[in-house]
Amino acid sequence: MTTEPTPIVLDVDTGVDDACALLLAALHPALDLRAVSCVGGNAPVDDVVRNTLLVLETAGRTDVPVGRGAERPLLESPVDARHVHGDDGMADLGWPPAALRADPRHAVELLRDVCREAAAENRPVTLVPLAPLTNIALLLRTYPDVVAGIAEIVFMGGAANVGNATASAEFNVFHDPEAAAIALDAAADLGIPVTMYGLDVFYEPVVSAELADELVAVGGRGPAELAGSLIRFQNARFERPASTIGDAGAVCVVVDRAGVRTEPLPLRVELAGTWSRGRTIVDRRDWSGDMAHDPHGEAPVRVDVALEVDGARYARLWADTLLGRVGER
């Protein structure tokens, strides 16, 4: 476990599992949530902003600025995932909207300012994108000086082996593959360490229906009730007895790095393939031998790819945070 609070910034498209991640980032004592930026993805960006404000207000974190960012991918028309997350993008719970309002700055400007402030304080932030990487691509290419305020990037997206939006591609990268390629290239150019928490581990940390009921029973329209309600929604929609905390696993990585096994691997984003557009091509070959026959060479981008996770450990971390039990185990 980390011993000092880690300054952290989330980029989200809230989203049931983004909401699970926001609750963890807002409440865990090892994290210092500095800001949240919003981008269109699981839902249109205005729905994302509304959902994000509701989660933060429910968590009692009205001090955290929320920025409205990119409405659409850099090139493609936007798609959403309401079939997964509900018509409102966050489980159709019917909770009243938050009184909290978004920051007047565009999300990219908010990210810029927070990173520059972090650099001035000599407390660089961990940037955790849980959404299409549109805001992050714009940030790193427009304001490369923010590198001084970024310790690392831990993003949820991509996969070494599987897809979900298509047979090849994970949704966040598929939604804006150009942004993913730009963001990862920019991070490599600027020397920012990157960890990819992708579909290879995404589904492993799960919360049972019984634990969801325990969370809901806390009541009071507080963060535990919200968290349990989100899990209940997923269980009902997909007719299963337990559901993943999804994006929240990437936040768990920041809190408890020992719960995940990563391997530094070359990575490219496929931008042209008919069947494979948006695929993260993770090169797991042994490049110590003669690979001269490969006309492409080794990818210039190398990231720490999450390949195994202790799902039960991360699920406990998440639930204990929502139930106020951090440190009891």
Side-chain angles (χ1 to χ4, degrees):
M1 290 287 188
T2 55
T3 55
E4 295 294 328
T6 299
I8 187 173
V9 174
L10 266 57
D11 184 75
V12 299
D13 59 342
T14 318
V16 170
D17 56 328
D18 300 76
C20 291
L22 281 164
L23 289 168
L24 177 60
L27 295 172
H28 198 283
L31 301 176
D32 174 13
L33 182 59
R34 296 290 188 89
V36 179
S37 53
C38 297
V39 65
N42 286 327
V45 69
D46 287 331
D47 290 345
V48 171
V49 171
R50 182 197 63 233
N51 295 340
T52 301
L53 293 171
L54 173 59
V55 173
L56 289 174
E57 187 169 279
T58 301
R61 292 302 306 274
T62 57
D63 59 307
V64 177
V66 174
R68 180 187 187 276
E71 297 182 3
R72 50 160 295 161
L74 297 176
L75 294 180
E76 297 281 3
S77 298
V79 296
D80 62 47
R82 296 177 192 269
H83 62 290
V84 174
H85 298 273
D87 289 342
D88 69 355
M90 201 179 77
D92 297 323
L93 298 179
W95 288 27
L100 184 63
R101 292 292 175 261
D103 192 277
R105 290 169 287 185
H106 188 279
V108 175
E109 295 171 335
L110 173 61
L111 291 169
R112 174 200 64 192
D113 293 348
V114 170
C115 291
R116 287 176 175 173
E117 290 163 9
E121 297 170 5
N122 198 28
R123 289 196 71 206
V125 302
T126 295
L127 182 57
V128 184
L130 305 173
L133 287 161
T134 318
N135 286 339
I136 309 306
L138 293 169
L139 171 73
L140 296 181
R141 285 305 193 204
T142 308
Y143 304 109
D145 66 286
V146 299
V147 64
I150 301 175
E152 65 172 329
I153 295 173
V154 179
F155 80 99
M156 191 282 123
N161 297 309
V162 294
N164 62 356
T166 69
S168 288
E170 178 275 331
F171 176 82
N172 284 344
V173 177
F174 172 79
H175 189 268
D176 196 345
E178 280 75 22
I182 290 167
L184 293 170
D185 282 351
D189 290 345
L190 297 169
I192 303 171
V194 175
T195 297
M196 183 177 92
Y197 185 90
L199 290 181
D200 309 287
V201 293
F202 179 88
Y203 295 107
E204 294 302 313
V206 297
V207 173
S208 68
E210 292 77 15
L211 182 50
D213 290 344
E214 182 182 351
L215 288 161
V216 171
V218 173
R221 287 294 175 97
E225 183 180 355
L226 176 57
S229 299
L230 295 170
I231 299 297
R232 275 183 172 178
F233 169 84
Q234 291 187 93
N235 288 347
R237 174 147 290 200
F238 299 105
E239 298 182 345
R240 57 195 179 199
S243 288
T244 180
I245 59 172
D247 289 348
V251 180
C252 291
V253 171
V254 182
V255 178
D256 183 12
R257 190 78 54 163
V260 67
R261 182 180 73 83
T262 65
E263 187 174 338
L265 292 167
L267 173 71
R268 285 188 171 96
V269 178
E270 176 58 64
L271 300 179
T274 300
W275 312 116
S276 57
R277 177 168 162 77
R279 181 181 180 87
T280 48
I281 300 172
V282 177
D283 191 346
R284 303 183 70 177
R285 294 174 295 176
D286 180 1
W287 278 84
S288 63
D290 181 12
M291 302 297 289
H293 64 280
D294 185 340
H296 306 295
E298 183 176 344
V301 173
R302 182 177 285 262
V303 305
D304 286 326
V305 179
L307 296 175
E308 294 180 13
V309 67
D310 187 337
R313 177 175 176 149
Y314 278 179
R316 283 197 306 271
L317 188 159
W318 180 79
D320 285 349
T321 302
L322 271 299
L323 291 167
R325 296 175 179 169
V326 173
E328 290 184 7
R329 293 178 186 270

Coordinates of all heavy atoms in Angstrom, one line a residue, residues 140-221:
L140 N -1.6 16.6 -24.1 CA -0.2 16.4 -24.2 C 0.4 17.0 -25.5 O 1.6 17.4 -25.4 CB 0.1 14.9 -24.2 CG -0.3 14.1 -22.9 CD1 0.1 12.7 -23.0 CD2 0.4 14.8 -21.7
R141 N -0.3 17.1 -26.5 CA 0.2 17.7 -27.7 C 0.1 19.3 -27.7 O 0.9 19.9 -28.3 CB -0.5 17.2 -29.0 CG -0.1 15.8 -29.4 CD 1.4 15.6 -29.5 NE 1.8 14.4 -30.2 CZ 3.0 13.8 -30.1 NH1 3.9 14.3 -29.3 NH2 3.2 12.7 -30.7
T142 N -0.9 19.8 -27.0 CA -1.1 21.2 -27.0 C -0.2 21.9 -25.9 O 0.3 23.0 -26.1 CB -2.6 21.6 -26.7 OG1 -3.4 20.9 -27.6 CG2 -2.8 23.1 -26.8
Y143 N -0.1 21.2 -24.8 CA 0.7 21.8 -23.6 C 1.7 20.7 -23.1 O 1.6 20.2 -22.0 CB -0.3 22.1 -22.5 CG -1.4 23.1 -22.9 CD1 -2.7 22.6 -23.0 CD2 -1.1 24.4 -23.2 CE1 -3.7 23.5 -23.3 CE2 -2.1 25.3 -23.5 CZ -3.4 24.8 -23.6 OH -4.4 25.7 -24.0
P144 N 2.7 20.5 -23.9 CA 3.7 19.5 -23.5 C 4.5 19.8 -22.2 O 5.0 18.9 -21.6 CB 4.6 19.4 -24.7 CG 4.5 20.6 -25.5 CD 3.1 21.0 -25.2
D145 N 4.4 21.0 -21.8 CA 5.1 21.4 -20.6 C 4.5 20.8 -19.3 O 5.1 20.7 -18.3 CB 5.1 22.9 -20.4 CG 3.7 23.5 -20.2 OD1 3.0 23.6 -21.2 OD2 3.4 23.9 -19.0
V146 N 3.2 20.2 -19.5 CA 2.6 19.6 -18.3 C 3.3 18.4 -17.9 O 3.0 17.9 -16.8 CB 1.1 19.3 -18.6 CG1 0.3 20.6 -18.9 CG2 0.9 18.3 -19.7
V147 N 4.2 17.9 -18.7 CA 5.0 16.7 -18.3 C 5.7 16.9 -16.9 O 5.8 15.9 -16.2 CB 6.0 16.3 -19.4 CG1 7.1 17.4 -19.5 CG2 6.7 15.0 -19.1
A148 N 6.0 18.1 -16.6 CA 6.7 18.3 -15.3 C 5.7 18.1 -14.1 O 6.2 17.9 -13.0 CB 7.2 19.8 -15.2
G149 N 4.4 18.0 -14.4 CA 3.4 17.8 -13.3 C 2.8 16.5 -13.4 O 1.8 16.2 -12.7
I150 N 3.3 15.5 -14.2 CA 2.7 14.2 -14.4 C 3.7 13.2 -14.0 O 4.8 13.0 -14.6 CB 2.2 14.0 -15.8 CG1 1.1 15.0 -16.2 CG2 1.6 12.5 -15.9 CD1 0.7 14.9 -17.7
A151 N 3.4 12.4 -12.9 CA 4.3 11.4 -12.5 C 4.2 10.1 -13.4 O 5.2 9.5 -13.7 CB 4.0 11.0 -11.0
E152 N 3.0 9.8 -13.7 CA 2.7 8.6 -14.6 C 1.3 8.7 -15.1 O 0.5 9.4 -14.6 CB 3.0 7.3 -13.8 CG 2.0 7.1 -12.7 CD 2.1 5.7 -12.0 OE1 2.5 4.7 -12.7 OE2 1.9 5.6 -10.8
I153 N 1.0 7.8 -16.1 CA -0.4 7.6 -16.6 C -0.7 6.2 -16.4 O 0.0 5.3 -16.8 CB -0.5 8.0 -18.1 CG1 -0.2 9.5 -18.3 CG2 -1.8 7.6 -18.6 CD1 -0.1 9.9 -19.7
V154 N -1.9 5.9 -15.7 CA -2.4 4.6 -15.6 C -3.8 4.7 -16.3 O -4.7 5.3 -15.8 CB -2.6 4.2 -14.1 CG1 -3.2 2.8 -14.0 CG2 -1.2 4.2 -13.4
F155 N -3.9 4.0 -17.5 CA -5.2 4.2 -18.2 C -5.9 2.9 -18.4 O -5.3 1.8 -18.4 CB -4.9 4.8 -19.6 CG -4.4 3.9 -20.7 CD1 -5.3 3.4 -21.6 CD2 -3.0 3.6 -20.8 CE1 -4.8 2.5 -22.6 CE2 -2.6 2.8 -21.8 CZ -3.4 2.2 -22.7
M156 N -7.2 2.9 -18.3 CA -8.0 1.8 -18.6 C -8.3 1.8 -20.1 O -9.0 2.7 -20.6 CB -9.3 1.8 -17.8 CG -10.2 0.5 -17.9 SD -11.1 0.3 -19.4 CE -10.4 -1.3 -20.0
G157 N -7.9 0.8 -20.8 CA -8.1 0.7 -22.2 C -7.3 -0.3 -22.9 O -6.3 -0.8 -22.3
G158 N -7.7 -0.7 -24.1 CA -6.9 -1.7 -24.8 C -6.9 -3.1 -24.2 O -7.7 -3.4 -23.3
A159 N -6.1 -4.0 -24.8 CA -6.0 -5.3 -24.4 C -4.9 -6.0 -25.1 O -4.6 -5.6 -26.3 CB -7.3 -6.1 -24.6
A160 N -4.3 -7.0 -24.5 CA -3.3 -7.8 -25.2 C -3.9 -8.9 -26.0 O -3.4 -9.3 -27.1 CB -2.3 -8.3 -24.2
N161 N -5.1 -9.4 -25.6 CA -5.6 -10.6 -26.2 C -7.1 -10.5 -26.7 O -7.4 -11.3 -27.5 CB -5.5 -11.7 -25.1 CG -4.1 -12.0 -24.7 OD1 -3.3 -12.2 -25.6 ND2 -3.8 -12.0 -23.4
V162 N -7.9 -9.6 -26.2 CA -9.3 -9.7 -26.5 C -9.9 -8.3 -26.8 O -9.2 -7.3 -26.7 CB -10.1 -10.3 -25.3 CG1 -9.7 -11.7 -25.0 CG2 -9.9 -9.4 -24.0
G163 N -11.1 -8.3 -27.3 CA -11.8 -7.0 -27.5 C -13.2 -7.1 -26.9 O -13.6 -8.2 -26.5
N164 N -13.9 -6.0 -26.9 CA -15.3 -6.0 -26.5 C -16.2 -5.1 -27.5 O -17.3 -5.6 -27.9 CB -15.5 -5.6 -25.1 CG -15.1 -4.2 -24.7 OD1 -14.5 -3.5 -25.6 ND2 -15.2 -3.8 -23.5
A165 N -15.7 -4.0 -27.9 CA -16.5 -3.2 -28.9 C -16.5 -3.9 -30.2 O -17.5 -3.9 -30.9 CB -15.8 -1.8 -29.0
T166 N -15.4 -4.5 -30.6 CA -15.3 -5.5 -31.7 C -14.5 -6.7 -31.2 O -14.0 -6.7 -30.1 CB -14.7 -4.8 -32.9 OG1 -13.2 -4.7 -32.6 CG2 -15.3 -3.5 -33.3
A167 N -14.4 -7.7 -32.1 CA -13.6 -8.8 -31.8 C -12.1 -8.5 -31.5 O -11.4 -9.2 -30.8 CB -13.7 -9.9 -32.9
S168 N -11.7 -7.3 -32.0 CA -10.3 -6.9 -31.9 C -10.1 -5.8 -30.9 O -9.1 -5.7 -30.2 CB -9.8 -6.4 -33.2 OG -9.6 -7.5 -34.1
A169 N -11.1 -4.9 -30.7 CA -10.8 -3.6 -30.1 C -11.6 -3.4 -28.8 O -12.8 -3.8 -28.8 CB -11.1 -2.5 -31.0
E170 N -11.0 -2.9 -27.8 CA -11.6 -2.5 -26.6 C -12.3 -1.1 -26.8 O -11.8 -0.3 -27.6 CB -10.6 -2.4 -25.4 CG -11.1 -1.9 -24.1 CD -11.1 -0.4 -24.0 OE1 -10.3 0.3 -24.7 OE2 -11.9 0.1 -23.3
F171 N -13.4 -0.8 -26.1 CA -14.3 0.3 -26.4 C -13.5 1.6 -26.3 O -13.7 2.5 -27.2 CB -15.5 0.3 -25.4 CG -16.4 1.6 -25.6 CD1 -17.3 1.6 -26.6 CD2 -16.2 2.7 -24.8 CE1 -18.1 2.7 -26.8 CE2 -17.0 3.8 -25.0 CZ -18.0 3.8 -26.0
N172 N -12.8 1.9 -25.2 CA -12.2 3.2 -25.1 C -11.2 3.6 -26.2 O -11.2 4.7 -26.7 CB -11.4 3.3 -23.7 CG -12.4 3.5 -22.6 OD1 -13.5 3.8 -22.7 ND2 -11.8 3.3 -21.4
V173 N -10.5 2.6 -26.6 CA -9.5 2.8 -27.8 C -10.3 2.8 -29.1 O -10.1 3.7 -30.0 CB -8.4 1.8 -27.8 CG1 -7.5 2.0 -29.0 CG2 -7.6 1.9 -26.5
F174 N -11.3 1.9 -29.2 CA -12.1 1.9 -30.4 C -12.8 3.2 -30.7 O -13.0 3.6 -31.8 CB -13.1 0.7 -30.3 CG -14.1 0.6 -31.4 CD1 -13.8 0.1 -32.6 CD2 -15.4 1.1 -31.2 CE1 -14.7 0.0 -33.7 CE2 -16.3 1.0 -32.2 CZ -16.0 0.5 -33.4
H175 N -13.3 3.8 -29.6 CA -14.1 5.0 -29.7 C -13.3 6.2 -30.4 O -13.8 7.0 -31.1 CB -14.6 5.5 -28.3 CG -15.6 6.6 -28.4 ND1 -15.2 7.9 -28.3 CD2 -16.9 6.6 -28.5 CE1 -16.3 8.7 -28.3 NE2 -17.4 7.9 -28.4
D176 N -12.0 6.3 -30.0 CA -11.1 7.3 -30.6 C -9.7 6.8 -30.8 O -8.8 7.1 -30.0 CB -11.1 8.6 -29.8 CG -10.6 9.8 -30.5 OD1 -10.0 9.6 -31.6 OD2 -10.8 10.9 -30.1
P177 N -9.5 5.9 -31.8 CA -8.1 5.3 -31.9 C -7.1 6.3 -32.2 O -5.9 6.1 -31.8 CB -8.3 4.2 -33.0 CG -9.6 4.6 -33.7 CD -10.5 5.3 -32.7
E178 N -7.4 7.3 -33.0 CA -6.4 8.3 -33.3 C -5.9 9.0 -32.0 O -4.7 9.2 -31.8 CB -6.9 9.4 -34.2 CG -6.9 9.0 -35.7 CD -8.0 8.0 -36.0 OE1 -9.0 7.9 -35.3 OE2 -7.9 7.3 -37.1
A179 N -6.8 9.3 -31.1 CA -6.5 9.9 -29.8 C -5.6 9.0 -29.0 O -4.6 9.4 -28.3 CB -7.7 10.3 -29.0
A180 N -5.9 7.7 -29.0 CA -5.1 6.8 -28.2 C -3.7 6.7 -28.8 O -2.7 6.7 -28.0 CB -5.8 5.4 -28.3
A181 N -3.6 6.7 -30.1 CA -2.3 6.6 -30.7 C -1.5 7.9 -30.4 O -0.3 7.8 -30.1 CB -2.4 6.4 -32.2
I182 N -2.1 9.0 -30.5 CA -1.5 10.3 -30.2 C -1.1 10.4 -28.8 O 0.1 10.8 -28.4 CB -2.4 11.5 -30.6 CG1 -2.5 11.6 -32.1 CG2 -1.9 12.8 -30.0 CD1 -3.7 12.5 -32.6
A183 N -2.0 10.1 -27.9 CA -1.7 10.2 -26.4 C -0.5 9.3 -26.0 O 0.4 9.7 -25.3 CB -2.9 9.8 -25.6
L184 N -0.5 8.0 -26.5 CA 0.6 7.1 -26.2 C 1.9 7.5 -26.8 O 3.0 7.4 -26.2 CB 0.2 5.7 -26.6 CG -1.0 5.1 -25.8 CD1 -1.4 3.8 -26.4 CD2 -0.6 4.9 -24.3
D185 N 1.9 8.0 -28.1 CA 3.1 8.5 -28.7 C 3.6 9.7 -27.9 O 4.8 9.9 -27.7 CB 2.8 8.9 -30.2 CG 2.7 7.7 -31.1 OD1 3.1 6.6 -30.6 OD2 2.3 7.9 -32.3
A186 N 2.7 10.6 -27.5 CA 3.1 11.8 -26.8 C 3.8 11.5 -25.5 O 4.8 12.0 -25.1 CB 2.0 12.8 -26.6
A187 N 3.1 10.5 -24.8 CA 3.7 10.1 -23.5 C 5.1 9.5 -23.7 O 6.0 9.8 -22.9 CB 2.8 9.1 -22.8
A188 N 5.3 8.7 -24.7 CA 6.6 8.2 -25.0 C 7.6 9.3 -25.3 O 8.7 9.3 -24.8 CB 6.5 7.2 -26.2
D189 N 7.2 10.3 -26.1 CA 8.1 11.4 -26.5 C 8.5 12.2 -25.3 O 9.6 12.6 -25.2 CB 7.3 12.3 -27.5 CG 7.2 11.7 -28.9 OD1 7.8 10.7 -29.2 OD2 6.3 12.3 -29.6
L190 N 7.5 12.3 -24.3 CA 7.8 13.2 -23.2 C 8.4 12.4 -22.0 O 8.7 13.0 -21.0 CB 6.4 13.8 -22.7 CG 5.8 14.8 -23.7 CD1 4.4 15.1 -23.3 CD2 6.6 16.0 -23.9
G191 N 8.5 11.1 -22.1 CA 9.1 10.3 -21.1 C 8.2 10.0 -19.9 O 8.6 9.8 -18.8
I192 N 6.9 10.0 -20.1 CA 5.9 9.7 -19.1 C 5.7 8.2 -19.0 O 5.3 7.6 -19.9 CB 4.5 10.4 -19.3 CG1 4.7 11.9 -19.5 CG2 3.6 10.1 -18.2 CD1 3.4 12.6 -20.0
P193 N 5.9 7.6 -17.8 CA 5.6 6.2 -17.7 C 4.1 5.9 -17.8 O 3.3 6.7 -17.3 CB 6.1 5.9 -16.2 CG 7.0 7.0 -15.8 CD 6.5 8.2 -16.6
V194 N 3.8 4.8 -18.5 CA 2.4 4.5 -18.8 C 2.2 3.0 -18.4 O 2.9 2.1 -18.7 CB 2.1 4.7 -20.3 CG1 0.6 4.2 -20.6 CG2 2.2 6.1 -20.7
T195 N 1.0 2.8 -17.7 CA 0.5 1.5 -17.4 C -0.8 1.3 -18.1 O -1.7 2.2 -17.9 CB 0.4 1.2 -15.9 OG1 1.7 1.3 -15.3 CG2 -0.2 -0.1 -15.6
M196 N -1.0 0.2 -18.8 CA -2.2 -0.1 -19.5 C -3.0 -1.2 -18.7 O -2.5 -2.3 -18.5 CB -2.0 -0.6 -20.9 CG -3.3 -0.9 -21.7 SD -3.0 -1.4 -23.4 CE -3.0 -3.2 -23.2
Y197 N -4.1 -0.8 -18.1 CA -5.0 -1.7 -17.4 C -6.2 -2.0 -18.4 O -7.1 -1.3 -18.5 CB -5.5 -1.0 -16.1 CG -6.4 -1.9 -15.2 CD1 -5.8 -2.7 -14.2 CD2 -7.8 -2.0 -15.4 CE1 -6.5 -3.5 -13.4 CE2 -8.5 -2.8 -14.5 CZ -7.9 -3.5 -13.6 OH -8.7 -4.3 -12.7
G198 N -6.0 -3.1 -19.1 CA -6.9 -3.4 -20.2 C -7.9 -4.6 -19.9 O -8.0 -5.0 -18.8
L199 N -8.5 -5.1 -20.9 CA -9.5 -6.1 -20.8 C -9.0 -7.4 -20.3 O -9.7 -8.2 -19.8 CB -10.2 -6.3 -22.1 CG -11.1 -5.2 -22.6 CD1 -11.8 -5.6 -24.0 CD2 -12.2 -4.8 -21.6
D200 N -7.6 -7.6 -20.4 CA -7.1 -8.8 -19.9 C -7.3 -9.0 -18.4 O -7.2 -10.1 -17.9 CB -5.6 -8.9 -20.2 CG -5.3 -8.6 -21.7 OD1 -5.6 -9.4 -22.5 OD2 -4.8 -7.4 -22.0
V201 N -7.4 -7.9 -17.7 CA -7.6 -7.9 -16.2 C -8.9 -7.3 -15.8 O -9.4 -7.4 -14.6 CB -6.4 -7.3 -15.5 CG1 -5.2 -8.1 -15.7 CG2 -6.2 -5.8 -16.0
F202 N -9.6 -6.5 -16.7 CA -10.7 -5.7 -16.4 C -11.8 -6.4 -15.6 O -12.5 -5.9 -14.7 CB -11.2 -5.1 -17.7 CG -12.4 -4.2 -17.6 CD1 -12.2 -2.8 -17.3 CD2 -13.7 -4.7 -17.8 CE1 -13.3 -2.0 -17.3 CE2 -14.8 -3.8 -17.7 CZ -14.6 -2.5 -17.5
Y203 N -12.1 -7.6 -16.1 CA -13.3 -8.3 -15.6 C -13.1 -9.2 -14.3 O -14.0 -9.7 -13.7 CB -13.9 -9.3 -16.7 CG -14.4 -8.5 -17.9 CD1 -13.7 -8.5 -19.1 CD2 -15.6 -7.8 -17.8 CE1 -14.2 -7.8 -20.2 CE2 -16.1 -7.1 -18.9 CZ -15.4 -7.1 -20.1 OH -15.8 -6.4 -21.2
E204 N -11.8 -9.2 -13.8 CA -11.5 -10.1 -12.7 C -12.0 -9.6 -11.3 O -12.5 -10.4 -10.5 CB -10.0 -10.3 -12.7 CG -9.4 -11.1 -13.9 CD -10.1 -12.4 -14.0 OE1 -10.2 -13.2 -13.0 OE2 -10.6 -12.7 -15.1
P205 N -11.9 -8.3 -11.0 CA -12.4 -7.8 -9.7 C -13.9 -7.7 -9.7 O -14.4 -6.8 -10.4 CB -11.7 -6.5 -9.5 CG -10.6 -6.4 -10.5 CD -11.1 -7.2 -11.6
V206 N -14.6 -8.6 -9.0 CA -16.0 -8.6 -9.1 C -16.6 -8.5 -7.7 O -16.0 -8.9 -6.7 CB -16.6 -9.9 -9.7 CG1 -16.2 -10.0 -11.2 CG2 -16.2 -11.1 -9.0
V207 N -17.8 -7.9 -7.6 CA -18.6 -7.7 -6.3 C -19.8 -8.6 -6.4 O -20.6 -8.5 -7.4 CB -18.9 -6.3 -6.1 CG1 -19.8 -6.1 -4.9 CG2 -17.6 -5.5 -6.0
S208 N -20.1 -9.4 -5.4 CA -21.2 -10.3 -5.4 C -22.5 -9.5 -5.1 O -22.5 -8.4 -4.6 CB -21.0 -11.3 -4.3 OG -21.1 -10.7 -3.0
A209 N -23.6 -10.2 -5.4 CA -24.9 -9.6 -5.1 C -25.1 -9.4 -3.6 O -25.7 -8.4 -3.2 CB -26.0 -10.5 -5.7
E210 N -24.6 -10.3 -2.8 CA -24.7 -10.2 -1.4 C -24.0 -8.9 -0.9 O -24.5 -8.2 0.0 CB -24.2 -11.4 -0.7 CG -25.0 -12.7 -0.9 CD -24.8 -13.3 -2.3 OE1 -23.8 -12.9 -3.0 OE2 -25.6 -14.1 -2.7
L211 N -22.8 -8.7 -1.4 CA -22.0 -7.5 -1.0 C -22.7 -6.2 -1.5 O -22.7 -5.2 -0.8 CB -20.6 -7.6 -1.5 CG -19.7 -6.4 -1.1 CD1 -19.7 -6.1 0.4 CD2 -18.2 -6.8 -1.5
A212 N -23.3 -6.3 -2.7 CA -24.0 -5.1 -3.2 C -25.2 -4.8 -2.3 O -25.4 -3.6 -2.0 CB -24.5 -5.4 -4.6
D213 N -25.9 -5.8 -1.8 CA -27.0 -5.6 -0.9 C -26.5 -5.0 0.4 O -27.2 -4.1 1.0 CB -27.7 -6.9 -0.6 CG -28.5 -7.5 -1.8 OD1 -28.7 -6.7 -2.7 OD2 -28.8 -8.7 -1.7
E214 N -25.3 -5.4 0.9 CA -24.8 -4.8 2.1 C -24.5 -3.3 1.9 O -24.7 -2.5 2.8 CB -23.5 -5.5 2.5 CG -22.8 -5.0 3.8 CD -21.6 -5.8 4.2 OE1 -21.2 -6.8 3.5 OE2 -20.9 -5.3 5.1
L215 N -23.9 -3.0 0.7 CA -23.6 -1.6 0.4 C -24.9 -0.8 0.4 O -25.0 0.3 1.0 CB -22.9 -1.5 -0.9 CG -21.4 -2.0 -0.8 CD1 -20.9 -2.3 -2.3 CD2 -20.5 -0.9 -0.2
V216 N -25.9 -1.3 -0.3 CA -27.2 -0.5 -0.4 C -27.8 -0.3 0.9 O -28.4 0.7 1.2 CB -28.1 -1.3 -1.4 CG1 -29.5 -0.7 -1.4 CG2 -27.6 -1.3 -2.8
A217 N -27.7 -1.3 1.8 CA -28.3 -1.3 3.1 C -27.8 -0.2 4.0 O -28.4 0.3 5.0 CB -28.2 -2.6 3.8
V218 N -26.6 0.4 3.7 CA -26.1 1.5 4.4 C -27.0 2.7 4.3 O -27.2 3.4 5.3 CB -24.6 1.8 3.9 CG1 -24.1 3.1 4.6 CG2 -23.7 0.7 4.2
G219 N -27.6 2.9 3.2 CA -28.7 3.9 3.0 C -28.2 5.3 3.0 O -27.0 5.6 2.9
G220 N -29.1 6.2 3.2 CA -28.8 7.6 3.3 C -28.5 8.3 2.0 O -28.0 9.4 2.1
R221 N -28.7 7.6 0.9 CA -28.3 8.2 -0.4 C -26.8 8.6 -0.4 O -26.4 9.7 -0.9 CB -29.2 9.4 -0.8 CG -30.6 9.0 -1.2 CD -30.6 8.2 -2.5 NE -31.9 7.7 -2.9 CZ -32.7 8.4 -3.8 NH1 -32.3 9.5 -4.3 NH2 -33.8 7.8 -4.1

